[in-house]
Amino acid sequence: MLCSVLKPRNCYRLLAACLLLGSHVHAQTGKSFLLQSASAAPRIDGIIDPVWSEADSVADFEQQAPFYGQPPTERTVVRLLATPEALYGLVVCYHIKAPMQNIAGVHDQANGDGISIMLDTFNDDQTAYKFGVTSSGVQFDSRLIDDGRNIDNSWDGVWFAGTEVHPWGYIVEMEIPFKSIRYNGELSEWGLDVDRWIASTNEDLYWCKYEQSQSQRISRFGRLILNGARPVVKGLNLEVYPVALARVEHLGGSKYKGEPEAGIDIFYNPSEKLTFQLTGNPDFAQIEADPYEFNISRYETYFSERRPFFTAGNEIFMASGKERNSGFYQPLELFYSRRIGRSLGGGVLVPLNVGAKTFGRLGSWEYGGFVARTGQVDSEAGGESLHEPSAVFTSARVKKHIMENSAIGLLYVGKHTPGHVEGVLDIDGAFRSSSFQLAYQLARSINNGKGDFGGSAGFRMFTDDYGILVRTRVIGKEFDVDEVGFVPWRGTANMTALAGPRWYFKEGAVSSIFQYSGFFVYYEDADLYTDWGGILGLNMQFRSNWGFEVTLSGGGSKDAGKKYTAYEFDWNVWLNVSPRWYCSAWGGYARTYNFLRDYLSYYTWVGSEAGWNVLSTLDIGTSYNMHVEGKPDGGVEEITYNARPYVSLTPVNNLNLRVYVDNLFLKSTDQVEHMIFGFLFSYNFLPKSWIYLALNDIQERLPAVDAAVQPGQAVRRLQSTDRVGVFKVKYLYYL
């Protein structure tokens, strides 16, 4: 897996990148679908109404996997109709055996059979909406971006679906209101594709044909000919979400503090190309506590954003070239929303008063804006005075599509406090051709007129015969964006290059092989030294939906004034051979510098993740990690164990109960030192309307008084340091 703890300290994780992020072709597949106007809107219940006889149909699907280019084992028929207000879809999925049905919460794609319809509503070959439905009726949606290289799962649309299961297969009906999506109303055609997956045979079927080395690309979509059935948006196109929130916090002993709150979220689409989002007194709390992350580097740990206001529509503020399912090249994250409303320690959070977003399209231009205001905080924690002045966070983004399927953009992010401005200005883009993508980024930090430069670039080329990957990153010593972004590697420069042959097999157990080799160099100003080394790896994927990757790297390094030979061995295995369960495991061994202990030694790790659909309504699973820190003399300094088991019960679609435990066990104390207990009840009773009940209890092992022990004997017990319960109701008024 090349999860390097050498100086690059980033997961190469070629996995899907090497096998899926391949060549790009601008020409469409040549397939087209004539959209007919419906004489009446069909009822969305999974029962075929007579009006569907007015629609054209397509059934010419083929396998993307496991046998590329081969006919499907089951027949699929798709029909589409439109009224001025909505697009309607009917998908008839024939199946010799009964389809696998799993119940799941909304947006939680259950393991089982299902379909999805994808629409490029701007016909720009770069972005598309994806609407998916499983055979059991679970709905999920997202936005594909960067020609399908990335996906925005935070997008949440208002649309409707119905399913009906029969002995011979199942039926899916969908209604997508035009006022729920953005589009170019002047176009006479959109991009279109349809996907179906069959759990029992691991088949992934598409209407459009893609290269085996690239997987799905929006630029290869077929054409949906609107044929006079163009959308007409009526009404205010206004979504209003009143939010009621009750928060109860444990103060210690038998004392609790209740905090009832109310807020409002507003989405307004004045046109089919423009969206405004406004929030007042928002609930920015995330439902689950951050998982434990082991870190022996000199840099801070990164945590993903989970708060809905920030995740919705955030793709407009992302730099070009980011790779889905791959960490090989990642542009600098200059807008790290976790800095807004952050924790100051001791349970003190910076309050957020108001926030707003806007994003839209104008011809070949995309644009977006963001503003949020935080309140002043004066508090004490751990005997220290805490002060955070009131601040205004802003961001502005413009991006232009050029050269058919390339892009160039500008981004500004800033934090404004009285008499002080900190932020960053960025220019970035991506050039794409039939066989490669070159992404680049150049940024300048701002600190009351002072600052420095930082930048990154990534190149990838994949064909059916070979692959090439190159990335580089240079960060100036004074490039400080800590108030708005996540770029902790100041005063560094690195480059990694990999290349090698790849083989695809039409028959047999092995689906593909990719063998790669290359080099890395990494300079850190803290050591005034350039690390260097070589890389050798092998990735194999099997037709039964499992695979493995092994990587060996090594070279010269220097840390804390010590020069040494660094090396690392990584392995990774993933198994999805059954729709009922999945499993992955990884591990490695490295000789590296431990900044947590401040010495040079070995470090080894093993991890795994597994899940099992015990019943169609019940999932269980866990993740597990073991980290072994060595001593300079070869002994063991510490072994850290971290497990996160969970149980998820979904008695009916869109209603879920989830319990999880995140615990940290140290070999040196032979005790659990840290534990998080979480419970979440969530019910999506109407589109975008939710009821939540969340409980989180964080416990730490701290000094305690115990009358049963001898005087003076030290006692440490698990004690609750943060216990919070939240009840939240969110209701959509759709005008």
Side-chain angles (χ1 to χ4, degrees):
M1 187 177 58
L2 266 176
C3 275
S4 178
V5 294
L6 296 173
K7 282 300 186 65
R9 289 185 174 87
N10 290 326
C11 287
Y12 294 92
R13 203 172 183 89
L14 296 175
L15 190 52
C18 297
L19 301 175
L20 300 180
L21 298 175
S23 60
H24 172 80
V25 180
H26 293 291
Q28 285 83 23
T29 61
K31 291 189 174 182
S32 62
F33 191 109
L34 192 62
L35 181 64
Q36 303 286 2
S37 296
S39 59
R43 185 188 298 270
I44 306 302
D45 54 8
I47 300 174
I48 302 177
D49 297 330
V51 70
W52 283 113
S53 63
E54 303 172 7
D56 286 346
S57 66
V58 296
D60 50 337
F61 285 73
E62 65 178 57
Q63 293 189 41
Q64 182 72 22
F67 293 96
Y68 173 74
Q70 296 299 309
T73 60
E74 305 286 356
R75 178 174 166 80
T76 307
V77 180
V78 180
R79 295 178 183 266
L80 298 176
L81 285 171
T83 66
E85 290 78 28
L87 176 71
Y88 296 87
L90 168 70
V91 185
V92 181
C93 301
Y94 294 92
H95 208 298
I96 296 176
K97 298 180 179 179
M100 179 180 170
Q101 299 183 75
N102 273 23
I103 308 300
V106 71
H107 307 305
D108 297 330
Q109 182 175 342
N111 292 328
D113 289 72
I115 62 95
S116 65
I117 293 177
M118 290 143 286
L119 301 169
D120 177 3
T121 57
F122 285 92
N123 206 15
D124 62 3
D125 292 346
Q126 296 204 40
T127 59
Y129 292 99
K130 180 175 183 177
F131 303 90
V133 186
T134 68
S135 58
S136 59
V138 180
Q139 296 178 226
F140 57 95
D141 50 30
S142 60
R143 289 189 70 241
L144 306 178
I145 55 180
D146 291 340
D147 196 19
R149 288 174 170 85
N150 288 297
I151 188 167
D152 175 20
N153 287 309
S154 68
W155 185 78
D156 187 8
V158 178
W159 57 287
F160 309 93
T163 61
E164 187 76 17
V165 178
H166 301 273
W168 49 263
Y170 63 97
I171 296 170
V172 174
E173 285 188 300
M174 303 168 65
E175 177 189 352
I176 304 170
F178 290 126
K179 66 179 181 179
S180 296
I181 60 177
R182 292 187 296 143
Y183 58 89
N184 186 343
E186 299 175 358
L187 295 175
S188 60
E189 61 181 44
W190 292 351
L192 170 70
D193 195 13
V194 183
D195 179 24
R196 178 187 176 186
W197 54 98
I198 304 174
S200 59
T201 57
N202 284 323
E203 284 180 65
D204 194 8
L205 313 176
Y206 286 95
W207 177 53
C208 299
K209 185 178 180 62
Y210 303 101
E211 298 298 326
Q212 189 171 10
S213 59
Q214 70 182 22
S215 188
Q216 188 180 39
R217 288 289 180 262
I218 298 170
S219 56
R220 297 281 294 175
F221 278 14
R223 300 296 93 192
L224 177 63
I225 311 300
L226 300 183
N227 189 36
R230 298 190 184 186
V232 176
V233 177
K234 296 181 180 180
L236 292 176
N237 306 317
L238 181 67
E239 300 178 15
V240 181
Y241 304 89
V243 179
L245 179 70
R247 178 184 175 93
V248 178
E249 184 176 358
H250 183 224
L251 301 179
S254 60
K255 295 182 179 180
Y256 290 85
K257 179 178 69 173
E259 297 179 343
E261 295 282 351
I264 190 168
D265 294 330
I266 298 174
F267 286 80
Y268 176 48
N269 297 295
S271 76
E272 67 272 16
K273 300 179 184 179
L274 179 62
T275 299
F276 288 107
Q277 180 181 357
L278 175 68
T279 183
N281 193 27
D283 168 30
F284 286 97
Q286 61 188 53
I287 293 173
E288 292 187 3
D290 288 318
Y292 171 79
E293 294 287 345
F294 188 83
N295 185 359
I296 63 171
S297 77
R298 56 165 42 120
Y299 304 111
E300 69 171 302
T301 299
Y302 178 87
F303 291 102
S304 299
E305 180 62 85
R306 304 182 188 183
R307 298 170 294 179
F309 175 74
F310 292 107
T311 58
N314 67 342
E315 79 280 356
I316 186 62
F317 302 103
M318 289 171 21
S320 302
K322 189 174 182 180
E323 299 174 353
R324 174 172 44 139
N325 297 330
S326 169
F328 184 80
Y329 169 68
Q330 298 288 331
L332 306 180
E333 187 157 352
L334 303 178
F335 184 18
Y336 183 43
S337 54
R338 292 285 297 241
R339 306 295 191 199
I340 306 174
R342 62 185 176 181
S343 171
L344 299 180
V348 179
L349 296 175
V350 177
L352 286 108
N353 306 126
V354 67
K357 279 184 185 179
T358 182
F359 40 91
R361 300 283 294 258
L362 183 61
S364 61
W365 293 85
E366 287 188 69
Y367 56 89
F370 170 89
V371 62
R373 181 178 180 84
T374 59
Q376 178 176 307
V377 174
D378 291 290
S379 183
E380 290 189 4
E384 296 184 4
S385 297
L386 302 175
H387 174 72
E388 181 78 9
S390 176
V392 175
F393 292 84
T394 60
S395 181
R397 171 72 163 169
V398 292
K399 183 168 69 172
K400 180 174 175 58
H401 301 286
I402 60 175
M403 300 168 58
E404 294 186 359
N405 198 19
S406 298
I408 185 171
L410 291 170
L411 172 68
Y412 168 76
V413 187
K415 178 183 180 182
H416 307 258
T417 55
H420 195 76
V421 177
E422 295 179 72
V424 64
L425 183 66
D426 154 273
I427 181 171
D428 61 82
F431 294 103
R432 304 183 181 102
S433 79
S434 60
S435 60
F436 73 86
Q437 173 180 272
L438 172 62
Y440 63 90
Q441 179 185 41
L442 178 63
R444 167 81 177 184
S445 62
I446 302 168
N447 192 333
N448 271 11
K450 299 179 181 180
D452 206 342
F453 289 95
S456 67
F459 174 84
R460 62 172 177 250
M461 172 181 281
F462 283 98
T463 71
D464 289 345
D465 301 315
Y466 63 90
I468 301 174
L469 290 165
V470 182
R471 70 178 180 192
T472 184
R473 185 181 67 205
V474 180
I475 310 296
K477 290 190 296 183
E478 304 301 324
F479 187 81
D480 184 359
V481 296
D482 289 350
E483 294 298 316
V484 295
F486 185 88
V487 188
W489 316 283
R490 292 196 290 272
T492 67
N494 69 63
M495 172 180 283
T496 302
L498 302 172
R502 60 193 312 186
W503 299 271
Y504 288 99
F505 304 93
K506 293 183 178 180
E507 298 179 351
V510 179
S511 173
S512 65
I513 298 176
F514 180 48
Q515 187 277 317
Y516 54 90
S517 59
F519 70 91
F520 69 86
V521 291
Y522 186 65
Y523 171 81
E524 278 184 304
D525 190 71
D527 299 307
L528 296 177
Y529 187 81
T530 300
D531 298 358
W532 57 271
I535 303 168
L536 182 65
L538 176 68
N539 182 298
M540 293 186 66
Q541 298 225 31
F542 294 83
R543 202 153 262 120
S544 54
N545 213 19
W546 73 280
F548 70 88
E549 184 171 12
V550 292
T551 307
L552 178 65
S553 57
S557 188
K558 180 181 178 181
D559 281 303
K562 298 178 181 179
K563 291 184 180 180
Y564 60 97
T565 299
Y567 51 84
E568 178 177 333
F569 173 74
D570 300 271
W571 60 269
N572 182 26
V573 178
W574 56 96
L575 300 96
N576 295 282
V577 296
S578 168
R580 287 293 183 190
W581 61 270
Y582 72 91
C583 178
S584 61
W586 56 88
Y589 180 91
R591 185 171 187 255
T592 187
Y593 198 86
N594 187 331
F595 286 91
L596 186 66
R597 308 289 179 181
D598 195 25
Y599 57 61
L600 173 66
S601 185
Y602 73 89
Y603 163 58
T604 187
W605 63 97
V606 176
S608 64
E609 186 175 5
W612 179 30
N613 300 124
V614 181
L615 303 169
S616 63
T617 59
L618 179 65
D619 294 340
I620 62 173
T622 188
S623 63
Y624 171 80
N625 286 279
M626 180 181 73
H627 307 272
V628 181
E629 300 173 77
K631 293 181 178 180
D633 61 5
V636 175
E637 179 72 54
E638 182 66 276
I639 303 178
T640 303
Y641 305 90
N642 176 235
R644 192 180 173 94
Y646 71 87
V647 177
S648 179
L649 176 65
T650 311
V652 296
N653 281 342
N654 304 335
L655 189 153
N656 178 255
L657 297 92
R658 186 171 185 268
V659 177
Y660 74 94
V661 178
D662 190 340
N663 61 81
L664 178 67
F665 183 93
L666 297 182
K667 178 64 175 177
S668 60
T669 63
D670 202 30
Q671 291 178 322
V672 174
E673 297 292 325
H674 174 89
M675 178 179 293
I676 302 174
F677 169 82
F679 167 80
L680 173 64
F681 168 88
S682 57
Y683 179 36
N684 183 214
F685 58 95
L686 287 172
K688 286 191 173 182
S689 300
W690 293 84
I691 296 175
Y692 293 107
L693 174 61
L695 303 173
N696 280 311
D697 187 10
I698 301 177
Q699 298 191 5
E700 304 279 356
R701 190 168 295 277
L702 301 172
V705 176
D706 191 338
V709 300
Q710 296 296 325
Q713 183 175 344
V715 177
R716 298 175 71 249
R717 291 178 176 169
L718 280 175
Q719 302 178 48
S720 179
T721 58
D722 190 6
R723 182 181 298 163
V724 177
V726 176
F727 179 76
K728 177 181 176 181
V729 179
K730 183 176 182 179
Y731 184 78
L732 166 64
Y733 289 94
Y734 194 43
L735 306 174

